[in-house]
Amino acid sequence: MAALMLRFCCAGRRWTLSCVDGAFRQGRGPLTGSMSSRIRGQRSVAQHSFTTAQKLKKGEREWAAVVGLEIHAQISSNSKLFSGSQVHFAAPPNSLVSFFDASLPGTLPVLNRRCVEAAVMTGLALNCHINKKSLFDRKHYFYADLPAGYQITQQRLPIAVNGSLAYGVCIRSQHSQVANKTVRIKQIQLEQDSGKSLHDDLRAQTLIDLNRAGVGLLEVVLEPDMSCGEEAAMAVRELQLILQALGTSQANMAEGQLRVDANISVHHPGEPWGIRTEVKNLNSAKFLAKAIDYEIQRQINELESGGEILNETRSFDYKLGCTVSMRDKEGKQDYRFMPEPNLPPLLLFDSESLPAGADPQQVINIDQLREHLPELPSQTREKLMLQYGLRPEYSFTLLNEVGLLEFFHNVMKDTKAKPHTVTNWVLNRFLGSLKQHSLAVSESPVTPSALAELLDLLDGRAISSSAAKQVFQLLWRSPGKTPAQIVSEQKLELLQDREALEQLCRATLEGHAHVVMDLKKGNPRAINKLIGLVCKAALNRADPTLIKEILERQLSS
Amino acid sequence: MTFLFSFFSLDHCGSRLGTKTMLGRSLREVSAALKQGQITPTELCQKCLSLIKKTKFLNAYITVSEEVALKQAEESERRYKKGHSLGNLDGIPVAIKDNFSTSGIKTTCASNMLKDYIPPYNATVVQKLLDQGAILMGKTNLDEFAMGSGSTDGAFGPVKNPWSYSKQHKAKRKEKPHAESEDPDWLIAGGSSGGSAAAVSAFTCFAALGSDTGGSTRNPAAHCGVVGFKPSYGLVSRHGLIPLVNSMDVPGILTRCVDDAAIVLGVLAGHDPKDSTTVQDPFKPFTLPTLTDVSKLRVGIPKEYLVPELSREVQSLWSKAADLFESEGAKVIEVSLPHTSYSIVCYHVLCTAEVASNMARFDGLEYGHRCNIDLSTEAMYAATRREGFNDVVRGRILSGNYFLLKENYENYFVKAQKVRRLIANDFVNVFNSGVDVLLTPTTLGEAVPYKEFIKEDNRTRSAQDDIFTQAANMAGLPAVSVPVALSNQGLPVGLQLIGPAFSDQQLLTVARWFEKQIHFPVIQLQEIMDDFSSVSENEKLPSISLKQ
C-alpha cells in the first residue's frame, strides 16, 4: 500500500500550523453556513502533504499516516429502502413514518427496487464487481432513534465489492497542478438510515424524529489508501460528483445526505501500521480535512511524547478545532450480527443469466444499467480538455465548484470569445469574486449572458482588457445593467482617434525621458512600462497593441 | 386392529347432519345453512358469543370483539339478503390467535409488554378473512409471544382444555380412585395456540388462526381433538404475525375437519407483496378431491420418531393408522430421518437468536408498555423490558444474545444453521426416494393435567413437546395433525402427516381420506352447555341476551 509519507521537522507542530493556516486561507463561510459555502470551503483544505521536503533533524524519524473512510450516502429515491414512506428532507417531524419504520410488531421489510438500482449504478461507476447474490443482515444495538433495535445492512455479502475511485489532488508547490490518485473501494452495501434524536437539554428530554428512519443508504467503504486530510477530502468530493452525476444520491453534506467516518493511524515508514482511531460524523466538507489532519497530528504528538493510541471512537469538535474521545461503549459494542430472515437473498442478473420470461419488474439487469450510465465526472473533464484545450486542473475546478461548469457552458454558448479567454475569466475573475463575497455560483450577480456579452466586447476590441475588468466590477455592483450600457455610460470604449493617441504617446515619451533612456540602454521591458503609462493616461480606453505600434514608430523616428 | 377403531363414533365431518346442532357443524355445513337461510349471520354470531361467555372459564379468549363481530354479522346479513354473499366464509365466526395484528382490536401476545397495544393495521391473513366476510369473534389466548407448548405461560393465565369437561373424559376419569374432587385436574390445551384450539373445540367459532413455529398449531390441535394445519413456509403471508422465529413461523389453521382447513387455506394462501418470503407463483384455491384409491400412495414411517418417551397408547394408534393405510392398499415404508435427534437443540439456538433480535424492538418508545423510570434511556429500557416480559421470554432473549455474540456466533448459530440444512435434507432425501407423505405422532401422549405440566419448566416442556412437530418447521414443510382417537382417559390423540414443500393440497387430500376412515368422536360438553345442546337446527332458536 502506497501510503504517502509525511515528514515533519519539529514534532509536527509546524505541520499543524500550516494546516490551520491553509484551512483558513480561503474559508470564509460561517461555521454553520449554507451548503454552498461548505462546498466552496472544500477548495480551501490544507495542502500540507506536499509541503514535505523539510529536512529532518538528526534523530528524528519520519511519520506516515494512513486514512480510510466509511461514507454513508443517502440514496435519492421516492420511498424508503424497505417501506413505502416518502423520503423528503425537512418534512414536519414524524410525518414520513410507516408502520414498518416505527417497527410495529408484525411488519416486514420489502426491498425498494430503486435503491438496489442506485447501488448497482454506483458500484458500476466505481469499477466494482457487482455480486449477483447479496445478503441482508441485522446489526443490533439499542438506540432511541433505531426503533427495531437493529439496522438492516449487508455485512456478510454486500452488493458490490473491489472497486476503485480515481481522484485528483492539487499540488500547491507546483502551481496548482493536479496529481492523480486512486483509492480502492472495499465494498458498497445497502443499509437503513436511523431516525434522529433531538436532545432538549433544558427539559432533559430526547425527542425522536423517525422521518429519516429506514431511508436507504449506500455505505461506501474506502480502503486506507489515503494519507492526509486533503486526499480524503478530494476523494470524497469526487465520490460526491459521481453520485450526483448518477443521480443516486444528492450527496448534500449540509442536509446529511453524505456523512463520513474516517479511520486514522500513523506509523514510521517500514514499520507496521499503528493503532487506529475512528473519527465519526464528519458531516461537513469544510471540517473533513481539518479533522483528519488534526487527528494525525494528535496521534504523532501522543506517540512522540511517549503516549499510546487507543482504539477508540472520536468526534470532531468544530468549535475547538480538535477531535475528542466519545467515551461511549459504541466502539466496543458487539453488534450480534444475524442474517435478516425476512428478506430472501438479493439476486441480480446480467443479459446472459436473465431468466427467460422473467417479469421485468421483478428482475434487475446489470448490463442494462451499465448501458444507461450517464457521463461521469472524469469523462466530463476529459471532454473539456479535448474540446476546449483546458488544463487538467481547470477541468477539476470547473466540476468541483457547484454550478460552475453549467455557468461556463452558458457563457461559451453565448460568446464568440475563445475558450481560453472564457476559462480565464470564469476561473479567475468570476470565481475569485464569488470567493471574495462568499457567494455560490447560483447567487452570482453576474449572469452568464452578461459575462458573454462583456467577453464579446473584449473579443471585438471594443474595449480594452483593463476596461473589461472595470466593466465586470460595475456589473457585479449593478446587476441590472448590460455591459454595453456600462461601457457607454462610463465611456470605456476603445479610443479610435489615431491622432489623439499619437499625441498621448508623444506626451508620454516626453514626460518620461528616463524610461526612454532605459529602453535605449537595452532594457526591453521598458516598452511595457511606457505602454502602461499611455493606457493609464487614456483612462484604459486605449488598445495596448496599437499603442505599442505607435510608440515603437515614434521612438525609431 | 380394526377393533380399536370400533369405538370411534360415526359423528364426523359431513355426516349425520340432521341431528347435529348448528354450532357443532363444520364450516362447510354451516356455510351451507347460511346460504339456505336456515340461520342468519347475526343469529350464528350471537350463539357463538353466548357460548364464548359460557365457556369463559376455559380462558380461550383474551379479547372478545363482540361489538365488531355483531357489526360484521349485520353487514354479512345484508349481503345474504341481497344475494351477494362473498363466499364460503361470509358470516362464519372465526377466532384469531392474539399474536396476529388486528386493526383497532387489542393484540397482546399474552404479554404485559403489549397488554394495551391496539395495532393500526390488520395482518394480511386477518384482512383476507375479513374480505371474505368472516366474523371476527375475538383474539385467542397463547403462551407469551407464542413461547411455550402448553398455553400456560401467558400474562392472562392458562387455557383450559375443553376435553377436561367432556362427558368422554369424565366417564373415564371417574374410574380413577383419586379423581373425585371438582375441577382440580383440568388439562392443558397444548400450545402455544391453545386458545385457538380450545375455541374451535368448544364450538365458539368454526375456524381459528394459530401460528406454528415448532408445532404450536398442531400440538394444541392434537390435545383438543381438532385439525391443526401448518402450511408450507412461504405459502401464507406472515405480514402482521408478530414473530417468534421469522424463518420458521407460519400462520396455522385450526378447524373441526380437514375439508374446512382446505377452505380456509384457499382464502389465506398466495403471494403477499408485504411479505417477501411468500412464493411468487400464483395460488389457486382448491376443493379437495375425494380420494378413493390409496394404492399408489407411499407412506413413510420415520423410525427415529419411535422414541422411548412416546406413550404406548399413541404408539399403538400410530401403528394402527399405518396398518390402516396398508390395509387400504397404500405402500407403508419405514424411512430414516437421521438428524432428527439434533432438531431440538438446533431449534433452541436458532429460535432464541431470532427471539433476541425480534424482541429488541420492545423498548417502550414507540408502543407497548413503558416503565415509570426516566433516569436515562438505558434505565428506561431495562425496567420496561423487565416489567414487560415474563421469565421465559427474558430467558430466551438472554440465551439468544449469547449465541449471537461475536465469539459464539460460529460455534452456535452457524452450526445450528448447518444442522438445520441437514435436517431439511433428510426430508428432501426421503421424499425424493418416492415417499409421498410421512405419518408420525403429533405429541408424545394425551393432554396432561395442568398440575402435572407445570412441574417441568417451559424450556423442558417445549423441548419434549415439539419433538415430532418441529422438524417440519425447520424444513418449511406442510404438516397436519388429524385427531384419530380417544385415549383410555377419554382424551383426544392426534397423528401427523407431513408432505413435501408446497404439496399442501396433496397432503390435505390424504389427510381427508385418513380422517374419513377413522371417525373421530365429537366432544360432548352437554353438562356445561345445557341450552346449547338442546338446540338443534330444527328447533326454534332462542334469542340470546348479550348483555348479561
Side-chain angles (χ1 to χ4, degrees):
Chain A
M1 181 141 332
L4 217 129
M5 248 176 270
L6 301 171
R7 295 186 180 87
F8 305 103
C9 65
C10 41
R13 199 166 49 234
R14 182 174 302 172
W15 188 77
T16 307
L17 287 172
S18 93
C19 157
V20 169
D21 177 42
F24 284 96
R25 180 156 309 205
Q26 293 174 328
R28 289 165 207 270
L31 293 183
T32 51
S34 69
M35 167 261 173
S36 52
S37 75
R38 287 174 192 224
I39 296 300
R40 272 176 282 127
Q42 193 144 30
R43 263 191 100 221
S44 65
V45 290
Q47 301 178 352
H48 47 80
S49 64
F50 297 90
T51 60
T52 53
Q54 319 255 16
K55 274 188 187 149
L56 289 167
K57 281 186 189 163
K58 218 179 169 186
E60 282 183 340
R61 299 175 64 196
E62 294 174 2
W63 285 102
V66 174
V67 180
L69 300 176
E70 276 178 27
I71 299 164
H72 289 93
Q74 225 174 58
I75 298 171
S76 174
S77 59
N78 293 328
S79 58
K80 295 183 180 180
L81 181 55
F82 296 120
S83 80
S85 324
Q86 296 282 296
V87 176
H88 188 63
F89 181 70
N94 294 313
S95 62
L96 308 174
V97 185
S98 70
F99 299 151
F100 175 79
D101 304 328
S103 81
L104 291 201
T107 53
L108 299 170
V110 179
L111 184 57
N112 181 346
R113 179 193 171 91
R114 156 74 191 154
C115 294
V116 178
E117 286 174 343
V120 172
M121 285 167 70
T122 307
L124 291 172
L126 294 176
N127 313 301
C128 289
H129 169 76
I130 308 294
N131 280 324
K132 294 212 182 116
K133 177 185 171 184
S134 61
L135 302 171
F136 290 96
D137 304 283
R138 291 179 179 182
K139 175 182 179 177
H140 298 89
Y141 59 93
F142 281 108
Y143 206 79
D145 54 27
L146 186 74
Y150 56 81
Q151 174 198 33
I152 303 177
T153 178
Q154 294 196 299
Q155 189 231 0
R156 291 167 299 163
L157 196 51
I159 189 160
V161 292
N162 298 338
S164 64
L165 169 68
Y167 64 100
V169 177
C170 290
I171 307 170
R172 192 203 275 162
S173 58
Q174 291 174 22
H175 194 67
S176 304
Q177 273 200 350
V178 173
N180 292 314
K181 304 251 159 197
T182 305
V183 52
R184 291 166 303 148
I185 309 277
K186 182 169 181 248
Q187 63 185 57
I188 300 175
Q189 62 198 51
L190 277 165
E191 62 184 35
Q192 294 173 298
D193 209 340
S194 64
K196 277 182 184 161
S197 295
L198 307 156
H199 302 287
D200 179 350
D201 292 334
L202 216 63
R203 271 171 283 191
Q205 276 184 340
T206 299
L207 302 168
I208 308 294
D209 178 7
L210 295 181
N211 281 352
R212 204 182 64 178
V215 170
L217 291 180
L218 295 173
E219 180 177 322
V220 184
V221 183
L222 270 54
E223 297 276 19
D225 297 345
M226 293 152 288
S227 59
C228 66
E230 199 209 359
E231 283 186 16
M234 294 318 284
V236 168
R237 180 64 186 132
E238 185 68 14
L239 177 65
Q240 199 175 25
L241 288 173
I242 291 172
L243 294 171
Q244 286 164 347
L246 293 170
T248 54
S249 171
Q250 292 176 329
N252 180 338
M253 289 189 97
E255 291 185 6
Q257 288 148 347
L258 198 74
R259 306 191 283 269
V260 182
D261 300 337
N263 290 305
I264 299 157
S265 70
V266 299
H267 62 278
H268 292 299
E271 290 178 11
W273 288 3
I275 291 166
R276 65 180 202 187
T277 60
E278 188 180 16
V279 182
K280 281 232 179 239
N281 301 323
L282 298 171
N283 299 339
S284 123
K286 185 169 179 174
F287 297 118
L288 175 66
K290 205 175 154 190
I292 291 170
D293 290 339
Y294 175 88
E295 178 60 18
I296 292 172
Q297 194 53 50
R298 186 193 68 83
Q299 292 189 11
I300 292 170
N301 291 347
E302 189 69 41
L303 292 170
E304 295 214 327
S305 59
E308 59 174 8
I309 304 302
L310 300 174
N311 180 8
E312 62 179 355
T313 305
R314 301 174 71 85
S315 67
F316 183 67
D317 185 323
Y318 68 86
K319 286 178 196 148
L320 300 174
C322 64
T323 64
V324 254
S325 176
M326 287 172 79
R327 294 195 197 287
D328 66 356
K329 286 158 259 155
E330 216 176 297
K332 287 165 194 72
Q333 249 189 62
D334 190 323
Y335 291 118
R336 293 157 286 133
F337 283 101
M338 187 191 91
E340 166 56 64
N342 293 320
L343 290 167
L346 169 56
L347 300 180
L348 304 172
F349 301 91
D350 53 24
S351 298
E352 216 170 276
S353 65
L354 199 69
D359 177 0
Q361 288 303 308
Q362 290 297 324
V363 293
I364 288 175
N365 183 340
I366 302 168
D367 291 334
Q368 206 179 345
L369 289 174
R370 194 195 316 266
E371 280 162 29
H372 291 96
L373 280 185
E375 183 180 287
L376 295 173
S378 56
Q379 295 166 315
T380 310
R381 282 191 290 258
E382 200 76 18
K383 261 171 69 177
L384 283 171
M385 290 188 276
L386 263 175
Q387 200 174 341
Y388 303 126
L390 240 57
R391 300 220 311 248
E393 61 269 26
Y394 286 173
S395 70
F396 272 95
T397 311
L398 276 181
L399 265 75
N400 282 353
E401 298 296 331
V402 176
L404 193 61
L405 180 64
E406 196 192 350
F407 190 95
F408 173 79
H409 279 312
N410 285 337
V411 177
M412 281 303 296
K413 199 176 61 195
D414 286 352
T415 185
K416 288 182 220 99
K418 290 186 182 69
H420 176 72
T421 314
V422 178
T423 314
N424 271 336
W425 272 79
V426 168
L427 290 181
N428 297 325
R429 195 135 305 267
F430 176 69
L431 189 59
S433 301
L434 286 175
K435 295 283 173 207
Q436 197 187 341
H437 295 93
S438 289
L439 291 175
V441 174
S442 59
E443 296 162 332
S444 160
V446 176
T447 62
S449 59
L451 183 57
E453 190 188 328
L454 174 60
L455 295 182
D456 274 348
L457 291 173
L458 181 66
D459 190 57
R461 297 186 167 236
I463 51 172
S464 71
S465 71
S466 44
K469 288 169 192 165
Q470 219 176 319
V471 175
F472 182 83
Q473 272 173 2
L474 291 166
L475 267 180
W476 194 275
R477 269 183 261 148
S478 42
K481 293 184 177 164
T482 66
Q485 273 175 327
I486 293 172
V487 167
S488 105
E489 276 172 25
Q490 304 291 321
K491 300 196 172 30
L492 290 170
E493 305 92 340
L494 218 50
L495 282 174
Q496 306 293 345
D497 186 342
R498 190 169 174 109
E499 205 150 310
L501 287 173
E502 290 200 355
Q503 224 160 13
L504 263 178
C505 287
R506 215 169 292 131
T508 306
L509 290 177
E510 282 161 13
H512 297 85
H514 60 285
V515 185
V516 178
M517 284 293 286
D518 202 19
L519 183 74
K520 291 198 167 157
K521 272 184 199 156
N523 182 355
R525 260 177 290 176
I527 185 82
N528 291 337
K529 184 154 190 192
L530 287 169
I531 294 168
L533 287 165
V534 176
C535 285
K536 201 175 170 191
L539 301 166
N540 287 332
R541 294 174 62 197
D543 177 359
T545 333
L546 185 59
I547 299 297
K548 191 179 178 199
E549 185 201 313
I550 296 172
L551 281 175
E552 278 171 347
R553 208 154 25 84
Q554 288 179 348
L555 284 165
S556 62
S557 64
Chain B
M1 73 209 57
T2 42
F3 76 95
L4 198 134
F5 290 103
S6 66
F7 67 65
F8 296 155
S9 103
L10 283 172
D11 196 356
H12 65 92
C13 258
S15 75
R16 299 181 61 190
L17 234 180
T19 59
K20 217 198 248 174
T21 66
M22 196 58 79
L23 292 191
R25 294 182 179 199
S26 74
L27 192 159
R28 189 182 286 287
E29 288 162 0
V30 85
S31 179
L34 282 168
K35 281 174 196 155
Q36 289 158 21
Q38 292 170 5
I39 188 167
T40 69
T42 307
E43 285 165 352
L44 190 60
C45 176
Q46 281 173 340
K47 276 170 164 298
C48 286
L49 284 170
S50 166
L51 195 50
I52 287 172
K53 281 175 187 164
K54 285 203 176 69
T55 57
K56 196 171 187 304
F57 64 93
L58 294 176
N59 207 15
Y61 289 82
I62 291 174
T63 303
V64 180
S65 46
E66 182 170 328
E67 270 178 43
V68 174
L70 285 168
K71 197 165 157 275
Q72 289 168 341
E74 222 173 275
E75 285 163 13
S76 170
E77 195 152 332
R78 237 174 281 144
R79 286 192 294 268
Y80 274 106
K81 274 184 187 150
K82 286 185 191 159
H84 294 151
S85 144
L86 293 170
N88 283 333
L89 287 186
D90 203 343
I92 304 289
V94 298
I96 312 276
K97 189 177 181 180
D98 208 19
N99 59 351
F100 286 94
S101 192
T102 44
S103 180
I105 300 170
K106 266 191 209 172
T107 299
T108 69
C109 289
S111 174
N112 283 323
M113 186 59 89
L114 292 177
K115 67 177 187 301
D116 297 315
Y117 171 61
I118 300 176
Y121 76 101
N122 279 326
T124 297
V125 285
V126 172
Q127 193 59 50
K128 283 186 165 182
L129 289 175
L130 295 180
D131 289 347
Q132 292 293 310
I135 314 292
L136 177 55
M137 306 310 293
K139 305 295 293 292
T140 57
N141 204 349
L142 64 156
D143 290 298
E144 183 160 335
F145 282 102
M147 297 181 204
S149 59
S151 300
T152 52
D153 281 325
F156 304 101
V159 180
K160 297 179 180 178
N161 191 328
W163 285 85
S164 319
Y165 310 98
S166 69
K167 206 170 154 188
Q168 293 103 318
H169 176 56
K170 282 184 173 173
K172 299 284 178 179
R173 198 175 56 176
K174 276 188 184 136
E175 291 163 14
K176 280 171 68 182
H178 299 298
E180 293 301 324
S181 48
E182 285 304 308
D183 194 33
D185 284 339
W186 58 270
L187 312 157
I188 59 138
S192 64
S193 312
S196 288
V200 173
S201 169
F203 306 110
T204 62
C205 61
F206 291 86
L209 292 187
S211 62
D212 196 314
T213 310
S216 277
T217 292
R218 290 159 286 160
N219 174 291
H223 285 328
C224 293
V226 297
V227 170
F229 175 53
K230 171 215 173 292
S232 297
Y233 185 87
L235 188 62
V236 180
S237 169
R238 293 179 295 113
H239 172 253
L241 166 59
I242 298 177
L244 174 57
V245 185
N246 301 279
S247 61
M248 299 185 211
D249 291 341
V250 186
I253 300 167
L254 295 115
T255 50
R256 309 233 170 91
C257 62
V258 175
D259 213 17
D260 290 354
I263 293 174
V264 178
L265 178 70
V267 169
L268 302 185
H271 176 67
D272 179 6
K274 291 175 182 158
D275 178 357
S276 309
T277 63
T278 50
V279 286
Q280 300 272 347
D281 316 336
F283 175 83
K284 266 201 217 140
F286 48 77
T287 325
L288 290 182
T290 307
L291 195 63
T292 45
D293 178 17
V294 291
S295 64
K296 290 204 176 71
L297 193 70
R298 292 161 69 94
V299 180
I301 308 289
K303 63 177 182 189
E304 288 81 6
Y305 282 48
L306 186 60
V307 293
E309 299 85 358
L310 183 63
S311 83
R312 290 183 62 184
E313 225 173 348
V314 175
Q315 188 189 331
S316 144
L317 282 167
W318 182 19
S319 77
K320 305 252 184 293
D323 291 347
L324 171 70
F325 272 102
E326 200 166 50
S327 67
E328 294 296 321
K331 189 156 192 205
V332 178
I333 321 148
E334 185 187 83
V335 296
S336 174
L337 299 167
H339 298 95
T340 299
S341 60
Y342 305 110
S343 181
I344 293 294
V345 64
C346 167
Y347 176 82
H348 181 71
V349 174
L350 295 178
C351 169
T352 56
E354 281 199 37
V355 163
S357 175
N358 288 332
M359 295 293 148
R361 71 189 57 219
F362 298 104
D363 55 14
L365 281 181
E366 281 84 11
Y367 43 79
H369 175 71
R370 188 194 291 185
C371 70
N372 295 322
I373 293 165
D374 59 358
L375 272 153
S376 70
T377 312
E378 286 73 20
M380 196 263 284
Y381 286 159
T384 295
R385 290 164 69 79
R386 188 182 58 243
E387 292 165 13
F389 295 137
N390 71 5
D391 288 351
V392 176
V393 178
R394 287 211 304 277
R396 290 202 194 182
I397 291 173
L398 285 174
S399 14
N401 277 321
Y402 175 81
F403 296 137
L404 289 178
L405 285 178
K406 208 172 177 183
E407 74 232 48
N408 296 332
Y409 185 75
E410 286 290 324
N411 278 336
Y412 292 94
F413 191 83
V414 172
K415 267 191 193 159
Q417 277 189 313
K418 287 178 182 166
V419 174
R420 180 180 183 176
R421 175 57 58 88
L422 292 174
I423 291 168
N425 284 345
D426 281 355
F427 284 103
V428 171
N429 293 337
V430 163
F431 289 126
N432 279 348
S433 76
V435 167
D436 300 304
V437 66
L438 296 170
L439 175 68
T440 79
T442 309
T443 55
L444 289 167
E446 65 207 349
V448 298
Y450 177 72
K451 278 187 195 163
E452 286 295 316
F453 188 80
I454 57 170
K455 282 180 185 163
E456 299 278 11
D457 66 14
N458 178 293
R459 204 191 133 192
T460 314
R461 279 294 178 193
S462 300
Q464 287 169 350
D465 296 341
D466 286 349
I467 183 161
F468 300 128
T469 47
Q470 195 230 39
N473 296 82
M474 293 269 197
L477 307 176
V480 58
S481 176
V482 179
V484 292
L486 295 185
S487 70
N488 291 334
Q489 292 282 305
L491 293 174
V493 170
L495 290 179
Q496 174 179 239
L497 293 165
I498 305 173
F502 301 105
S503 71
D504 301 61
Q505 182 178 357
Q506 183 199 310
L507 177 74
L508 289 177
T509 305
V510 175
R512 184 162 178 253
W513 175 88
F514 181 52
E515 177 187 57
K516 294 258 184 226
Q517 313 303 309
I518 52 185
H519 312 306
F520 181 75
V522 162
I523 184 171
Q524 292 173 13
L525 292 170
Q526 282 90 339
E527 287 168 34
I528 309 159
M529 305 161 197
D530 40 1
D531 65 332
F532 154 67
S533 58
S534 69
V535 176
S536 84
E537 66 176 52
N538 296 324
E539 287 174 13
K540 192 173 179 285
L541 298 158
S543 66
I544 294 159
S545 165
L546 291 159
K547 289 175 185 157
Q548 42 186 312

